[in-house]
Structure formats: C-alpha cells, structure tokens
Amino acid sequence: MVGFTEQRAILCNWTYKLIMFHILMSAYYQNKLKLALIGQSLFGQEVYTNLRKQGHKVVGVFTVPDKDGKADPLAVVAEKDGTPVFKFPRWRVKGKPIPEVVEAYKAVGAELNVMPFCSQFIPMNVIDFPKHGSIIYHPSILPRHRGASAINWTLIEGDKKAGFSIFWADDGLDTGPILLQKECAVEPNDTVDTLYNRFLFPEGIKAMVEAVQLIADGKAPKIPQSEEGASYEGIQKKSNAKVNMAQPTEVIHNFIRGHDKVPGAWVVIDGKPVTLYSSSMLSGSVPTGQPVEVEGVSQPGLIAKSGLILFGFDGKALQVKNLQFEDGKMIPASKYFSSEETASLDLTDNEKKMAEEIRVIWKGILSNVPVIDDTTDFFKSGAASMDVVRLVEEVKQKCGGVQLQNEDVYMATTFQSFIQMFVRRLRGEDQEEELVIDYVTKDVNNMTVKMPYQCFINGKFEDAEDGKTYNTVNPTDGSVICKVSYASVADVDRAVSAAKEAFDNGPWGKMNPRDRGRLLYSLADLMEEHQEELATIETIDSGAVYTLALKTHVGMSIQTFRYFAGWCDKIQGSTIPISQARPNRNLTFTKKEPLGVCAIVIPWNYPLMMLAWKSAACLAAGNTLVLKPAQVTPLTALKFAELTVKAGIPKGVINIVPGSGGLVGQRMSDHPDIRKLGFTGSTPIGKQIMKSCAVSNLKKVSLELGGKSPLIIFSDCDMDKAVRMGMSSVYFNKGENCIAAGRLFVEESIHDEYIRRVVEEIKKMKIGDPLDRSTDHGPQNHKAHLDKLVEYCEIGVKERATLVYGGRQVDRPGFFMEPTVFTDVEDHMFIAKEESFGPVMVVSKFKDGDVDGVLSRANNTEFGLASGVFTRDINKAMYVSERLEAGTVFVNTYNKTDVAAPFGGFKQSGFGKDLGEEALHEYLRTKAVTVEY
C-alpha cells in the first residue's frame, strides 16, 4: 500500500508536470500567425507544409489555375488538408485590381502574406492589407540580380557567391527592405539545377519558416536595400542566347551553364543551331576526338568520348555533355557522329510489367492524352519542366533502385525511347553515375575546404555497412574536425570484391598502358590544381606545418604520380637465349604482369605522400587496390579518392576504407583475393602482417618498418651544414619521420661546440599554429603519441642521460612537444636503442679518429632504414657509406629523397622498395614463355 505522504508527493509531481505542459503548449501557440500563401510550385508546397508543422495557421492558399486538368503541387496538398484554395487566373485587369478577387482574399483574414514563388502580379492593396504586410523569397543576394532570372544571371556573371533574400514587398521590383539573407559558394561547374537543389531550395524553405517566426516574435528586421551594386537583368530569350565564342573559356562556360535548360545557350555546328547542356571546365589534358566545325571558334571543337570539347580564345577547354537539335531531340554529345539508331531491347516479363506501370505514370501526368502509345512525345503532349520532376520522382518511387535524372527525360522524349533508356539503366548498361559526395566543409586558411568522410568503395562514397563512425581530431587544438566512417570487415570484403571485378572484367585490366598513364597524369594535374586544399587538410588532420605540407606532403605526392605515370608504357620483359636439343628453334621471353588486387596500409606521419609512394607504383603496374589510411589521419586519402573519379579512373580500381588496423588491416592480411600487401608502420605490426599474409594465401608483402637511423658527424665536417642538417634530420616534420636520425654520434673534439650551436638554433624555432607561415614546429600527430614522447624523455632522465633542452609538453592547447636534446647517451640505454618518432635528439660521443669503433656502434641495432655521415674527407665518406647497414645512406646531407631513387630498409626495418623503377617490381610478377617453332 502507498502511504498518504507518498500519494501527496505523487499527486504534486503530476500537478507540476501538467502545469509545465500547459506553459509549454501556450508558449508554442502564443506567437503564431494567420497566413495567406500566395504562389505555386513544389517550393511553395514545402513552405506551406513546414509553416503548418510550426503551428502557424494557413487561412488561404492563392495559386494558379489547373493546367491541362492538373493542379499545382501547392494546391494539391492544401486541398487535401482542407485549407481554402483560390485559383485566380489574374488579380488585375488593365493594371487595376479585380474587386471580387481582392474581396475574396480579404475575407480569409490573413495577418501576413507569404509569397515563396509567385508568377502573378499582386495588387498593392493586397500586398499591404495584412497587419504584417507581405514577404517574398528571391533567389539572389539583393540588390544584385533583381528580376525573374536571378539564378541564371548569378551563373552568367560568374559570381563566386549565390544565395537568396527574403524581403518585405513594396511597390518596386525586388526593392523592398531585407528581412534575412543567406549565401553559399558557387562551385566551378554548378548549374541552375545544382544550385537550386543543393542550397536555394532546401535552405530557402527553412529560411521562409524562420522569417515568419521572426515576424511572429516581433524580431524581424527591415533593412533598406542599398542601390550600390544593384542590378536588374531581364528574362533571357532563345534569340539572344547564342554563345559568343570569342571570349575566355570560363566566360563561355558561365554563359552556357547560366542558360542550362531554359532557354538554352546555342552555337552553330555544321551550319545548324545546336543547344548546349551540362557544361564543365576541363581540367587536365584535352582528350582525343574527332574535329567538328563550330561557328566563331578560335580552333575546331572535338567530339570525344566524354562529350563536345570547345575552346575559348585563351586556349583553355570546356566540355559539353548533351546536345539538343532544332526538332527537340537531345543526344549525348559523344554520340554526335553516330548515325545508327540504338537497337531496341527485348524486355523480360518483369521489365514489361514495369513498362506498363510507367505507362500509367505517363497517363497520370498527360491526362489530356487519350492513349499513351510508343510514339507519344512527353513534351509535345503538353508536359512542362515541373512534369519532368514529377515523372522522375514517380518512376523512382515505383521502381526503387533505378537512378534517374531530369535530363534523362529530355534525352528520351517518346514513351518508347524512355522505356528503352529506363531498361538499360535498370540493367546497369551505359550507366555513368555522377559522384555524390556528402562533404564536411570548413572555412580555414583563407579558403573553404570540402572533405569527404565516408568509405570510398566501387566509385562511391558511402557509410560503413554498420553505420559506425569515429572522430578525427585537429592536433593543433584537440578539436574534432568531423566524424569519419569506421569500416567493418564487411566493408573490406565489398572493397576487395569491387577491386577484383575492376581488375578481372573492368576497363582498367584491358586498358592500353599508355592510356593508363594518361589517367595518372590527369590525376597528378588535379592534385596540383587542389594542392592548397590538400595541404590545408593535411595540416589540420596531421599537424604538419602548412609550408612543409605544401612542398613535401603534397608536392612530392604530385611528383610521384607523374613519375610513375611515365613508367606505364615502359614496363618490359626480355628475350632469353636457351640451350636445347638441336635443331635449336626455340624462343623464350618474359612478361611483366600485374598481380591483381593489392592492399596498402599507410601510416599517419605523411598521410598523402605515403599513399602516393605506394599506390602510384601499384596503379602504374596495372593493379587495382584497397587502401587503409591511418585511423587518425584519413581525410587527405578520402579527398584523393574524390580526385581519382574526376580524373576518370574507372570505378573499383581504387577503394579507401578508413578504420582500425586490428579490424580493417587484419582483414586485408587475411583476405584470400588480395595478392599483395604493402605496409608502412611499426616493426611489431609488420611481423604480424607478414605472418597473416603467409598463413592466408602466401600473398606477396613489402614492409617499410621502424628505424633507429644513425648519423655520424666527424670533426672535419662543415660545421654550419652539419648543425643545420643534423637538426633537420631530427626535427623535420616534428620528428615524425621514418628516416629521422634516431641517434647522433658526434666526434669528441667538436661535441660540446656542436651541442651549444644546436641549442642556440632550437631557441630560435617558432612553435605554434602550423597554418602560420612563420611556424617552424607544429603539434605532434595525436595525443597518445605526445604522451609516449613525454614518457620516452622521462625514461631518458631516469637512465641518467643528460637532458640539455626540452623534454616536456608545451604549455598551450593542442599536442605540442618541446624540441628536445639528450647528451651523454650510453649504448645500453633505452633511448639509445628505441625509436622516439618525435623531436628528440639523442647524442653520443665517440673518440677522435675511431672510425671503425663508431661504425660498430652505429650498426649495433636491429634496424637499418637510413643513416648519414658528415665529413669533408671523401675517402672516409665512401668507406663509412659502404659499411653502414642501412637501405639509404646520406653523405653531407639528410632527408634528400627523390621519386626516382629507391627507398627501403634492411634488417627489421623491412624489405621491398618504394619509389624508383624498383618499386614497380613490388607490384609485378614475371612470367616466362617458351615457344618452339
């Protein structure tokens, strides 16, 4: 039994909740308005629906009359809701309001007129009648581009920003006070459709609702429009939409895309007017194609596989995807010279059923047409652009899984041609899908960077199969950049399957090596075009100093792809004389063949450059790949994936799966369809990978692992250079450098002077924001690594090595470590044997003249990645370089790698080579063929 006291407590609690509920509900309803919606279209429909959801009462909808028996979308949804709908053909006659129309409007008692999209002239006594007046949506940043074709003129004029305004209606043309405005960047290949669908439509709906609520709350501003920068452009007509080809290419491109769909920019090709659709600026090399005569051009156009290539007077090129002739027929520009009609398809029973369902959809839209037969033309039967949207959406809804675009309807205007196109799309034939990317954008480094964050599998960005994500962090301040897809075993399997299909059956495996090289050159060009964006992403994701990221992380990546692009058509076998029983009529030759699907696992210290070092050689050899970026630095790899699509790399050739090494990396090691795995990382993980690769299917392996690279500095060195390069050997890229000098041996007679000068230079180093161009030393890559470095230094102190400088975390936000110097380091100490992978200089003395002794100490390690020596004595330099047990020896320099020079280690630093001709052999197999004739 519940006691009296408990009952009172329960009753009080419920009474409190009830009171709070009434308070909340009254707050919800107290600032709501009675609205009249005046307008039309899907945009008007969405504004209407969202305003009702927010609790506003729509007392009347005023829209256009039905056309061919079809109601406007706004009218359709309002009538379903029981909202009064008025369909006035006009509001005025000879410039004067129609009294009956105005009285019908006034009778609904609106407090505010909302005009999301209205093609009718509304009298001022209607505009001014409500208590709060009228607000209008306009798709430009007023006062620029007043008038009915604002979006078109935004593109025609080459504006870098687009947007919309919601303003208070007055008696001028788009001149009323501003209530609110929003803007977005115009992408280089945006069209009216992409701008509208990406920003103006969805954000405009939200802003209309926001504006109404501001008015309801009494917080809506009225900001007078300035006449400075004001412009008014009229509606473009077909007659003045001819392209002037005697202009720069970008101006021509802007003109074409600004006229896309309506009215359509046109040129004269082979003496006939042809309308151009879907223009884009061409990056990279111009594709080969068949010349075509275009009136007024500085050089002939080209019909290429990708479309019509046109040139402005500046010699740059643009590409047009679709062409439309005077009779209304639209074709892919690449098919301009094709004379044969596409063969009709034999439909399966299921496809015939779908065709009849589509016939019903056509009949619903073309209600004025008695019978839909094969020759029925969608547009000649009265369909308009709004009907195109409806057709596409209804077909997609009815036949799930088939991707259609509005332009598909323009390309197939008759019912028969539409069904043929639909069936081919259903079967996956002739499908060229546009890349859809859900970017994370950030305004940083004086630019807006756009970063993909999903797995990249089979040419598409998509979430991990189980939907899992993780945070990637900016080491400069510890803030989260974004969430990134966390790939699962199933995602790896899908990526491998896509890579295998691309290798076995796709165009990549059949491609001429020279064409493969052309694609890699194009990819390098695109990387160069985006190098500042790539360097910025690399900086915020890895902590690399921006100037270093631009020159080395990104710059060397571009060089690497260009270098291996040149190798594609130079991979050769050989002929071999053999001894056999006479008569000796035998020929033996060798062929170099790609391996198939390769896996690549890269580290976090040079995210893009390590990707380039391995994947460029892999692709040049003709393989396909699945790549796992480091979990803490995935973003430049995913941006790279985007550029591969733009470069024309076929789908499935490159796949990027971010995630953990224990899950993704392990599955790669175990997968039976992967024939090679290239790994850069720690020695313990390398051993585990090698074991898994052997047990699974004995896949080929190349490993670039840990190091403890010795640098020997003799007393006869160039001291200035030895100090400068010695510091670079340790502190380059914050010490996160696989070939960093893990231990310096300095000859006793110059030891103290050398240390003094190093410390002097360290004190001049600027530690700070890696995006600051004057910064010398940025943050460590991630928090766990910083903690390990601090612990490493603490061990050095406990072992009684002398801490001369640094050894602590910098007192500021982010993961910054002081440049550190240890001296008096003895051979048995932990810091003498183990790699720090950070900005820690570990210095030991050696006796004057003891060359063999210091060599013995330098080689007394299980690592052998790199090494160095500073001396003016060339004989000594050669003697030491011959005896140092390392894959790379630097003499009087350090960190000087080049794309043409092979790179890789000895001993437990791994085996196999990156860069140079030798890297190709890591991704090739040799086949011997003997022929008797």
Side-chain angles (χ1 to χ4, degrees), residues 503-522:
F503 182 82
D504 292 341
N505 302 313
W508 188 255
K510 304 176 182 67
M511 191 176 291
N512 181 297
R514 197 159 294 169
D515 290 338
R516 189 163 65 240
R518 180 178 56 79
L519 290 179
L520 294 184
Y521 276 123
S522 179

Side-chain angles (χ1 to χ4, degrees), residues 819-832:
T820 299
V821 179
F822 277 103
T823 60
D824 303 316
V825 178
E826 297 176 11
D827 295 353
H828 67 274
M829 292 180 178
F830 175 87
I831 64 172

Side-chain angles (χ1 to χ4, degrees), residues 254-272:
N254 289 336
F255 190 83
I256 296 171
R257 64 178 177 149
H259 288 81
D260 210 292
K261 296 294 184 285
V262 179
W266 57 279
V267 294
V268 176
I269 300 179
D270 292 333
K272 298 176 183 178

